Amino acid sequence: MNKEETMLQKRLIELSQITYRRDIVTFSDFLNLNELHILHSTPKNLLSSRYETFGGYEYAERQMVAFLPDALYYEYEYPICVLCITPINIKYAEDLTHRDYLGAILNLGIERCRIGDLAVQGQNCFVFCQENMANYITEQLTRIRHTVVTVVQLKLNNFSYKPDLKETTGTVASVRLDAVPAIAFPISRSKLVNHIEGGKVFVNGKLITNNGYRLKENDIISVRGMGRIIYGGILSETRKGRYLVKIYKY
């Protein structure tokens, strides 16, 4: 690990120790896939308390860590707020992208770790952020590119979001990590192998560098710079011994 990764691991261990000593729930910032892998690969004997992760919805990529006391006897809520960004005048609004929304938020001086996933749906963008950032973003974010916008805060416990998934099928020789993602992404198997060995492929938030890793139904596969898919399982076997599989692409 480099210096920043080592510092993150130490911070996570520290949060775990605070939970153990004070018998309270502690939360991390939003962690990206590589940071989540550091958490999952930290030896269990270094973490003083158990943990769970959540990013505001079931398939979130960026997630907070909640370190939990052993005898948790009360319900707890993640300090996550949902913001809905909408153009004030739909007629004159530009076609804004994920990059546009994220860039406008970061230009307010907000660190990336304070912001979780952004979900663009039509003319709206839902932003998962830390609760203590919600008021500032609501007040300060008034324009994205040339489009004037309004920001409304939504309570996480009253909000339900599920990403739009496109179902695709294809045949593979085996349900290995170096085969299935090629159905969804315009990439050859050799390039996919390079991505895996280069530390760019994650399964359920964990870095996997083994090309022969066998996928299980409902595994979430993230390929950096390309997107995410859900492996839906085997539908049938062809006469030539190949497998017809189903996947869902974000």
Side-chain angles (χ1 to χ4, degrees):
M1 292 189 294
N2 59 34
K3 183 178 179 180
E4 289 185 358
E5 292 171 339
T6 300
M7 290 178 61
L8 170 66
Q9 186 181 62
K10 288 181 178 179
R11 175 57 179 163
L12 295 173
I13 293 172
E14 179 185 8
L15 289 174
S16 177
Q17 292 172 341
I18 291 173
T19 290
Y20 178 76
R21 291 197 304 266
R22 300 183 184 178
D23 202 31
I24 60 173
V25 181
T26 60
F27 299 96
S28 71
D29 291 329
F30 284 100
L31 305 184
N32 61 30
L33 287 172
N34 186 56
E35 292 165 339
L36 286 168
H37 172 70
I38 291 172
L39 168 71
H40 296 317
S41 60
T42 298
K44 300 303 181 185
N45 64 305
L46 297 181
L47 298 173
S48 305
S49 55
R50 61 192 177 93
Y51 66 84
E52 295 179 353
T53 63
F54 185 58
Y57 65 103
E58 183 179 1
Y59 299 111
E61 182 169 291
R62 300 179 67 89
Q63 301 186 23
M64 279 186 181
V65 186
F67 290 100
L68 309 174
D70 288 336
L72 185 66
Y73 55 87
Y74 58 89
E75 294 184 359
Y76 68 95
E77 294 183 359
Y78 282 81
I80 298 175
C81 185
V82 185
L83 305 179
C84 180
I85 305 175
T86 307
I88 289 180
N89 193 326
I90 300 294
K91 181 178 179 180
Y92 298 106
E94 300 163 277
D95 291 329
L96 301 174
T97 66
H98 181 283
R99 182 188 295 268
D100 295 326
Y101 288 107
L102 179 59
I105 293 172
L106 297 184
N107 283 339
L108 298 176
I110 296 174
E111 295 178 292
R112 184 65 181 94
C113 63
R114 307 291 186 182
I115 306 297
D117 286 4
L118 281 71
V120 180
Q121 287 193 327
Q123 296 286 358
N124 297 326
C125 178
F126 297 103
V127 180
F128 297 84
C129 71
Q130 293 184 3
E131 278 184 344
N132 57 8
M133 292 286 102
N135 287 338
Y136 179 73
I137 297 174
T138 301
E139 295 169 359
Q140 299 296 320
L141 187 62
T142 58
R143 184 184 296 271
I144 300 178
R145 288 172 54 186
H146 301 294
T147 300
V148 179
V149 299
T150 182
V151 183
V152 177
Q153 297 184 32
L154 306 174
K155 286 290 186 180
L156 185 62
N157 54 8
N158 294 327
F159 178 79
S160 177
Y161 170 72
K162 189 172 183 179
D164 294 329
L165 301 175
K166 181 180 179 182
E167 181 178 328
T168 305
T169 60
T171 60
V172 291
S174 65
V175 291
R176 291 161 46 117
L177 186 59
D178 59 1
V180 172
I183 297 172
F185 304 122
I187 186 172
S188 65
R189 184 169 181 176
S190 61
K191 289 185 178 179
L192 183 55
V193 168
N194 291 337
H195 276 66
I196 296 170
E197 294 178 345
K200 296 182 179 180
V201 180
F202 297 78
V203 179
N204 301 325
K206 296 182 180 181
L207 177 66
I208 303 295
T209 56
N210 176 14
N211 298 324
Y213 181 90
R214 289 188 65 81
L215 296 171
K216 298 182 292 295
E217 191 170 335
N218 296 322
D219 277 348
I220 301 175
I221 306 152
S222 302
V223 182
R224 274 188 177 175
M226 303 193 73
R228 286 182 289 167
I229 63 172
I230 300 175
Y231 169 58
I234 297 173
L235 295 176
S236 63
E237 186 174 351
T238 69
R239 292 180 179 179
K240 295 183 178 181
R242 293 174 64 86
Y243 298 101
L244 176 66
V245 301
K246 176 174 57 178
I247 61 171
Y248 300 95
K249 186 176 180 180
Y250 288 74

